[in-house]
Each structure stands twice: as structure tokens, then as C-alpha cells.
Amino acid sequence: MGKGKDKLMLIDGNSIIYRAFFALPPLTNSNGLHTNAVFGFTTMLLKVLEQEKPTHILVAFDAGKVTFRHEGYAEYKGGRQKTPPELSEQFPLLKEVIGSFSISQFELAGYEADDIIGTLSRKAEEEGQEVVVVSGDKDLLQLASDKVTVLLTRKGVSEVEKYSPSDVDEKYGLKPLQIIDLKGLMGDPSDNIPGVPGVGEKTALKLLHEYGTVENVLDNIGNLKGKLRENIENNMENARMSKQLATIYREVPLDMTVEDAAWSGYDASTLAAAFRKLEFKSLLERLDLHGADDAAVEKVAKAEYEMVIVGSAADTWNQLNDALPKAEAVLVESAGDNPHQAEMIGLAITAVDRIYVLQPEQLKASEAEELIAWLAEPDRPKTGYDLHRVQLVLSRSGVKLCGQAFDVQLAAYLLDPTEADPSLSSTLSRYGLPTVPSDEAVFGKGAKFHVPPLEELAAHLAAKADGIRRLKPVLAEQLDKLGMRRLYYELEQPLAIVLANMEQQGIKCEGAALQELGKDFQRRIDETMKEIYRLAGMEFNIGSPKQLGEVLFEKLGLPVVKKNKTGYSTDAEVLEKLEPHHEIVRQILHYRQMTKLQSTYIEGLTKEIRPDDGKIHTYYRQTIAATGRLASQYPNLQNIPIRMEEGRQIRKAFVPSEPGWCILAADYSQIELRVLAHISGDERLKEAFLQEMDIHTKTAMDVFGVPKEQVDANMRRSAKAVNFGIVYGISDYGLSQNLHITRKEAAAFIEQYFSVFQGVRKYMDSIVEQARRDGYVTTLLERRRYLPDITASNFNLRSFAERTAMNTPIQGTAADIIKLAMVKMDEALRERNLQSRMLLQVHDELVFEVPEEEFETMKVLVPQVMESALELDVPLKADVSFGSNWYEAK
DNA sequence: GAACTCACG
DNA sequence: ACGTACGTGAGTTCG
């Protein structure tokens, strides 16, 4: 080292491989060797190499079982689960891969990777060199300084977050060294560091913001009170020791220097051999593009295509038109979140080794005729990214899109519906393909959004189109491999087109009806507001939870039921408990209800009525929900009020768009419990549906062991709550909250339920076990959701994952079924040449507008299609109703 | 932009 | 011992 631009990267090998192991689904090569952790580590490594471009690099590992920390505390890291063999066997592989990168690695008996990193970073820092530390463990934040940056992995290992001292301050309000004190107070169950019982992160931070260090907390123990003081007093020694255990030792006797970690890049052929051995195909492909130039680690893919800006030279239109028969990927870039409004920025079309880029105005040119015909031709298959959106954006320029054959966004969603960053740029890097700059980097975001000059814009669009083209075979192969071929090609891809058509059709909404209702709401808001001010004896902002809390709990002295991060909680659950104490509470509940209706629905929906057609055009997001459900945006038409009569009135504004037509609504009856009956195979539950019984009454009869006549309203209500709980992934705590009973009573209910519905219990146990074994759960149609937290040591994370394992196959299969019904319904309407239109989906309900002469047909057809969408061991049931508006269709 | 609250299935 | 029911979108307040 010595030159100013040198940069030392220190990687916490154990921490990263451990994280990678648990974050990635099990992965084996053809020899049955587990490789997921090595794969995760390697992708992370490639990412940080590219991002940071270090000149020196070293991976540190823990060595041996006993370290100097055990001298003072024999239980250190005790009670920790043994490293799973599937992970142990990957350590030698990883070390080989690191060797193939020509990267130094180091371990020293008696010390942990942390300590080696701490020592080397100190040495480098003393020489004034820049250091980057990479780990998954936030303890390492204690090393942050003006020379040392810490990169912590997020979301498994696929992303890293940079921490300078000011970032540490921003996140925790602490100086880097105080991270040690934090751990001293909190402890760390995974390392068996005790800390102080009852003190979690929040309490620890509060104490440290006040007192700064563990020692100072202990010195000022007199200022504390209650249980907290008692806990700390009884654990003073634990706190001191825990702090010591968490302190990284920065004076390890190393016989190596920073210069020994010098790195000048890897040899591509050596690395390729290692990847080939491990069968890292996607990484191999990425590597090949780096070519023979072994110094250039991060070189972006050498363009393998020629970019043609259409219109830039005389014959470019001819070139494009001649290339159309071989065109493959189409990219349409647009600005704005709402695709019904987004402005087109540009287009790119790939054809063999050329990529044609066009500006939106050029679609109006006479030469564009062939391109427009190609876009509209169903027999010309197109690959794209978010073709649903592309279809909407193009259609607003009068251009029709057909032949949607493959959508990389949709495919990537099916492969991992929980991926946080679905952008093309991120998807490319996830699948080990040459990356493209992020849209944010090119366009900026928020107020800084701008369209760059043509050359730059065209280069970006071409790169993205190229990325789409490269992703297609990779994703298509994955879909095949994971058994999602049919789910993709027969359900999701056709559905995307159905959705776009529904959205373009829109639903008519009477602005005048909303305004009338709004006047009524406003009157009641004004009255209630006055009454609240009178009862409070002052005027304040009722909409501010902070001010409301002060009035209720300080001025009026009502009992505090629940607190949240920022102070008193004032949510509906709290207010309902406070209702008997003061008249003001009822008024506040009413005020909340009315203002919600006024702002979200009256005002919100009014803004979304398009003046040209008097309709609302929502946008269904097909790639958002982790379970496979749709989500509705701009506006959300899946949460229009129905439970309370006042809000339900809103539905009167939703009317047919043609005179003499009516609204038809059809909803699945108890679809989730029917799905549960099917997948669990529980005989009692199946029987209940075969007998067409009221399911909650039937549950009450079975759980309470009484005949039908003896089931009272209360018993039915309890049974209903238990049924909900079952679908959500039951916990005694959740049920007790819902029914306002004790946890014990809730647990007894659940036990009673399971003793009757033994098949359901078996299913719940086996699905959780399956999730642990495979790392994911699936729906009937093989939709998949990974649950990395299912093996977490953190109770909360693990419990959440377990409930999710129980719920996702149920909610997801229900989503599969209604999606199937939608695709079939669309076909049925076409086949029969019906004029009726499918307008909305609300998870278990479909809404249509129907001309009078089709009433009778639709009344039969809709439930028939819905009920036969998928054959289960129990019948599916759909109820239909008609009305002159959505309110009447009930 | 995060936190809180609340509308729906 | 831990402290949440599952899945969403959107409006308001406030730092």
C-alpha cells in the first residue's frame, strides 16, 4: 500500500457464508454437492468487487472452536446449533473459489475473523489508507471511521448497505464504538452472549442515548426504576462481560502485512474452471464476457450488438423494417408510475445483433407502419419487461400490442415473488448476467427525474433491451426446472393481457353521486369536530395521533392501553377499549370513520374519474403480492367500503357504462377454507362442504360438540374467528387478541379444533416441516414462495415464517383459482360473442357489466366458469347477484 | 420518507 | 423468554 488511491477490502468469510447458506434455497450440483452458500458468497463477492474496486483484499475466517473469548467465558457461542453438514461441506469449496479469484485468505488459531479484520483495518488506517469491511454482522460497525467503511449484507447477501460513522449515527444514534455497548446491554443469543435480560434493542438504545456507555449506565443505576433497574442490578457483571465479548480485538499478532493482500484481479480461465466444476452456469456466462483481460474485473459487458438510432440516417427505417421478421425483444420506456398516464420516452427493438432505438414521435411517421403492424401481430412473438404496462402505454398512442410471448418481469416474479428489487438491472445481476445501469442512475428520481440526451438515452434503452433478450432463456429454463411452465404460459401470461383489457375498459363512476354523499359526510364531520372540541375543552388537530394522544391521555386522563414507537397508540382497537370511559371516544371513532371516507374515497376516487369517459381505470399489479394475489393501484378498487353501511353507500356511485345494463357481482363462497379442505384432505372439513353447510356453524358444532340447534351466535362467532386463525397460520396469541380472551383460553380452543379436525393439524405440521426441509412452500399450481426465515434463531422471524408457510399455500391457491377463472371467463365471453365485460377482481369476487339481453346467460355462465376453474375434492361455490350499481349487487 | 391509521379480502 | 394473526394501498401528520 502507500498510494493514496489504494483500497483494502476485508471480508468476514464466516459471517457471509453463513448468511448466504440460510438466505438461498438449497442448491446442489450434479454430484449432489451443496453449493448454495458458495454461490451466494461468490455473487456477493463479484458485486462488491465491481462496486468498490479494491486494490488489496483479504477474506478472514474463524479458526478452531476455542478462541481467547472462551478464556473469560466458557459458554461463549455455547448452545449454538451445530453447523449443518450441508454448510460444513461448503467451506473447502469456498476456500478453493477464493483461491481461484487469486484473493488472499487468512485464519489464526484462537481468533475470530472479526479480530483479524479489526487488526488489519487498524494497520491500514494508521497508514492513512482507505478500508472497506464486508460482513453480515452488525457488530463490525464498531470499526467504522473516517477511513473505514462497513458494508453490511441485506436481504440475505444479495444487497449491501454502506455504513460510514454518520450512517451509524443516523441509524442508531450511536458512535461506532457504542455498538459494543449496545451488544453489552442487549446480548446476542446466537453467540450466547447474555446481555441484560428484558433489555432489547429499543431499551438499550434509549439507555445509551442517555448515558453513552455500559459503565455509565451502571454508575447511574440510581436514576432508573422498576423492573428495568432490577434486571440491570442483577446483571451488572453480565453486562460488563457481554461488552467485553463483543469488543473486537485489534492487536492480533499477525505475521502478515497489508501488502500481502495486494490484488490485481483474477485470471478468467482459472476462475471459469472453478465455476464449471461447481456448475455455476450463470456466473460462467457472466465471466466469459469479461474476456481475457484479467485486470478489468468489472468491465461492463462488451456490447455484442450494434445500436441503430432510427431516423439518424437515411436508411435506418429500412434497416429496421427489414429486420422485423427477426425481431425479438421489445422495450418501451415510460415516465410515471401510473401506466394509464405515463409518458412514453422511447422504444428499443432487438433483432439478432442489432438493436433499434426509436423516439415516441416516430411512431407517427409513415415509415412506422410496418413496425406497428409487427407489434399488433399475434403470430410474432415478443419478449419484454412488464408487457402489461407496455400494452397500456402503447395503446394510448394508438398502437396495439399482441403476441406477448415472454415477460421477464413476470417470470422473475414467479421465480421469487418476494424479491425486493424487481428492476431489470437488479434481475440481470441476480441471474449473473452482464448488468445495465439502473433507471435511477440514468433518469434520476423524484424531482430530479430527467430524460438524458438522445445518445445517452438510446444507449440505455438498447442495453436494457439486450438485457431482456439475454434474460429470457435463463428465466425460461428456470421456470421449466421448477415446474412452473404451465403456471407461467397458461395462467400468468394470458392473465396479463386480460388485466390490461379490464383496466382499459374501466368502470363508470358517477362523480355527482360521490359529491352528494360527500356533502353528507362533510356535515357529519363538522358536527362531530365541534362536539369533540367541546368535550375536550380545546381545539386541536384530531387527525394528529400525537395531539390526540395528548388530549386523551394527558388532558382527559384516560388510561393508556397500548403504546407505539412514537408515544400513545390511538388506533381503533385502543379507542374501542376506551369507549366506556368518555363520550369523546365515540365521537373520535365516528370522526375517523367519516374523514377516512371523505378523503380516501370521496376525494380520492373523484380525482381518478377520467373526464373523457367518466370512468375509473385502475391498474392491477401482477408482480407485487408474495402470495400470488393481485394488487390494485391508482386507485385501489379492492378496498371500497362494504362492512359499514355509511361507507358501503360509496358503491352506489359505481354503475354500468351503458344505459339499460346492470352490474353483476359473483364471489366465491369460503374459497380459502375449501382450499384448505382440499389440500389438507381433512375428512370432517370436506364433509362440511359436501353437505353445503354453513361452515362456521358446522365448526362450532364440532368444536363445542353440540347439535346445530344449540349453536348460539357467540359460539358461531368464536368458530368463525378460529377458522380465520387457521387460514392465517394460527397462534394462541393472535386468536386471543381477536376474541378478547386469554391466551390460555385461545390455546384450548385451538387444541379442541385440532382434535376434531385432525387432518388440518397434520397439514399444518407437515407444511411447516416441508418449508424447513425445502426452504419454500408451493400452491396447487406450483406457485412458489421462499421462506428463508423458517430456520431463523430469532423467535419472531421464525414464527412469522411458520405462519406464512401455513397461509401462503391457502391464500395462494385461492389466488390461482380466481386467476384461472378470469382467463377462462375472458375466453368464454369471446367464444360466445357476448357483450358483457369483466371489469374488476377483488380477490374472491369478479364484477361485470352486463346488457339486459345477457342477464340470463351470465347468471349461469359466470358461476359455472368460476366453480369449474379448478377441480378440487370439495365443490367450489360462487354466489351471483345483479343490481343497477355495485351497491345493489349484493 | 417514516410512522400511524384504516379500508378491503 | 420471545410478543404477531395472512395479504394489500392510500391518506395524514410530522420530523
Side-chain angles (χ1 to χ4, degrees), chain A residues 377-452:
Chain A
E377 176 52 56
D379 291 332
R380 297 287 181 190
K382 286 117 198 155
T383 301
Y385 177 91
D386 199 355
L387 288 171
H388 173 181
R389 188 186 173 90
V390 169
Q391 185 184 338
L392 294 174
V393 170
L394 283 177
S395 97
R396 298 206 338 279
S397 298
V399 176
K400 198 168 156 141
L401 180 71
C402 289
Q404 296 91 327
F406 198 86
D407 184 328
V408 296
Q409 188 197 45
L410 193 52
Y413 164 74
L414 291 188
L415 292 171
D416 184 357
T418 52
E419 173 52 48
D421 182 356
S423 67
L424 180 62
S425 160
S426 150
T427 308
L428 283 165
S429 73
R430 258 199 324 286
Y431 286 90
L433 295 175
T435 55
V436 298
S438 71
D439 288 334
E440 201 183 310
V442 176
F443 299 112
K445 68 166 179 176
K448 288 193 205 118
F449 185 93
H450 68 282
V451 178

Side-chain angles (χ1 to χ4, degrees), chain A residues 21 58 113 246 278 301 333-334 348 386 398 419 453 515 606 625 658 672 721 727 745 749 799 802 860 874 882:
Chain A
F21 178 72
L58 178 118
L278 291 163
E333 191 71 51
S334 56
D386 199 355
E419 173 52 48
Q515 291 319 303
T606 302
E658 315 268 356
E672 293 190 334
V727 169
E745 289 165 329
F749 257 136
S799 303
E802 288 169 357
V860 178
V874 291
F882 280 96

